Amino acid sequence: MSVDYAALLQTIAAEVAELAPDGEVADYIPALARVAPDQFGIAVATVDGRVYRAGAADTPFSIQSISKLFALALALRREGEALWRRVGREPSGTPFNSLVLLERERGIPRNPFVNAGALVVTDVLCQRFLQPERAVLEFVHRLLGRTGVGIDADVARSERRHSDRNAAIAHFMRSFGNLHGDVGAVLDAYCAQCAIAMSCAELAEAALFLAADGCQPGGARILEAPDARRLNALMLTCGAYDAAGDFAFRIGLPTKTGVGGGILAIVPGRMSLCAWSPRLDATGNSTAAAAALERFAAAAGVSIFG
Ligand code: DON
């Protein structure tokens, strides 16, 4: 099927504007509560180097938990298989910031995308890099092949000031021996990484290695092909937390969401795409971005389930 992606994205942007999606912007991080709620953007980057855009596809927003994907890829490059002794690979069926499974499972997070797992990944980066948040940012620059992406210092400060729950998760894991560094340093790095600001087009381009067996356009190898496949599997099963099953049902693609309203999706072998709109549903995922990706996957026929 030959698809006119440029036209399809314009159609989807117009349809989403008509939908007038409900939901609220994330306000547990005060700096995010100030974001204009009704913005929408979408971008597609194909493995043959084309980028298609509609709406506010070039407007930077807070990538929040989408950063967990880049942090995980970087940690895997440094730590390899040993990482999986400290973090599981199962969906949690709980919200992203839940503590409930940690006591029963002795401080081993279910997966690297719930906050507990992402904090372990950040702990690994803190052991491996003197400035872990800079390491994640420089990794993003490497993926993009250019600099210019930055950390929004206001958002990072705002989240750090309101990070009691993540602090509780980190201390709890430390009590089980699964967080090795200083909790304050891990939270500093984690909040900074979540506060990276990127646009839909930048996110789609940066994640292309996940659609291309671990290689960025131009051939630079970021991950071995089996690790890229495994990250896609984790995105499908855990990337949208307790909405992962519903996302697989509706969209049929590996995705990673963030409370900034972005959702990144991978079409293995073909493309990476990102939709963004700040209003969130009860699971903390963007209502309009999910609707847009659902429409795109159906119209372009790109669900991994055929
Ligand atoms: O840890 C937090 O609460 C945020 N920095 C990230 C949460 C997030 O984006 C969850 N994803 N939908």
Side-chain angles (χ1 to χ4, degrees):
M1 175 165 68
S2 157
V3 178
D4 181 343
Y5 293 121
L8 178 56
L9 294 188
Q10 294 299 338
T11 303
I12 289 171
E15 286 174 358
V16 167
E18 291 289 305
L19 278 180
D22 51 11
E24 303 297 330
V25 299
D27 58 4
Y28 74 100
I29 301 171
L32 290 186
R34 297 195 282 271
V35 174
D38 293 315
Q39 304 180 78
F40 174 81
I42 187 165
V44 168
T46 60
V47 293
D48 60 5
R50 284 170 236 257
V51 182
Y52 304 90
R53 308 162 148 83
D58 291 311
T59 302
F61 59 91
S62 193
I63 71 170
Q64 292 295 314
S65 284
I66 301 174
S67 68
K68 294 170 179 173
L69 193 58
F70 300 125
L72 175 61
L74 185 57
L76 271 176
R77 282 161 60 93
R78 291 300 178 115
E79 196 81 353
E81 289 295 301
L83 182 69
W84 304 117
R85 289 200 285 272
R86 295 179 59 189
V87 186
R89 283 113 49 170
E90 292 293 348
S92 69
T94 59
F96 62 89
N97 57 0
S98 173
L99 284 110
V100 293
L101 294 170
L102 277 179
E103 179 163 29
R104 202 168 70 211
E105 299 181 354
R106 305 202 54 77
I108 306 292
R110 273 287 168 112
N111 65 67
F113 294 145
V114 287
N115 286 8
L119 288 165
V120 169
V121 168
T122 300
D123 186 45
V124 166
L125 297 180
C126 286
Q127 309 287 299
R128 297 270 176 176
F129 296 97
L130 281 176
Q131 291 185 295
E133 65 276 22
R134 291 242 34 108
V136 175
L137 191 62
E138 280 162 17
F139 183 52
V140 168
H141 287 159
R142 175 165 178 204
L143 294 174
L144 280 172
R146 55 185 185 269
T147 56
V149 165
I151 294 170
D152 182 326
D154 280 348
V155 174
R157 247 191 322 270
S158 181
E159 177 165 11
R160 186 65 181 89
R161 269 198 223 109
H162 294 82
S163 53
D164 291 334
R165 183 175 278 254
N166 283 332
I169 293 172
H171 280 292
F172 199 51
M173 291 193 297
R174 201 165 199 283
S175 77
F176 285 105
N178 197 23
L179 200 116
H180 302 161
D182 173 67
V183 166
V186 170
L187 291 172
D188 287 346
Y190 174 79
C191 293
Q193 152 204 315
C194 287
I196 291 174
M198 292 173 78
S199 67
C200 291
E202 287 168 336
L203 277 165
E205 285 182 77
L208 264 175
F209 70 100
L210 291 168
D213 291 327
C215 288
Q216 277 304 81
R221 180 157 292 287
I222 305 300
L223 287 179
E224 295 303 322
D227 279 331
R229 272 200 298 278
R230 289 160 149 190
L231 253 64
N232 279 298
L234 285 167
M235 289 172 74
L236 184 79
T237 53
C238 314
Y241 316 106
D242 44 344
D246 190 50
F247 271 38
F249 183 90
R250 288 169 56 200
I251 302 170
L253 294 173
T255 58
K256 183 71 213 80
T257 63
V259 291
I263 307 180
L264 179 71
I266 305 298
V267 184
R270 297 177 62 183
M271 67 189 76
S272 161
L273 64 153
C274 181
W276 165 63
S277 192
R279 289 187 191 274
L280 307 179
D281 65 17
T283 60
N285 300 313
S286 168
T287 318
L293 293 178
E294 184 177 2
R295 279 157 196 251
F296 180 88
V302 294
S303 162
I304 60 169
F305 301 109

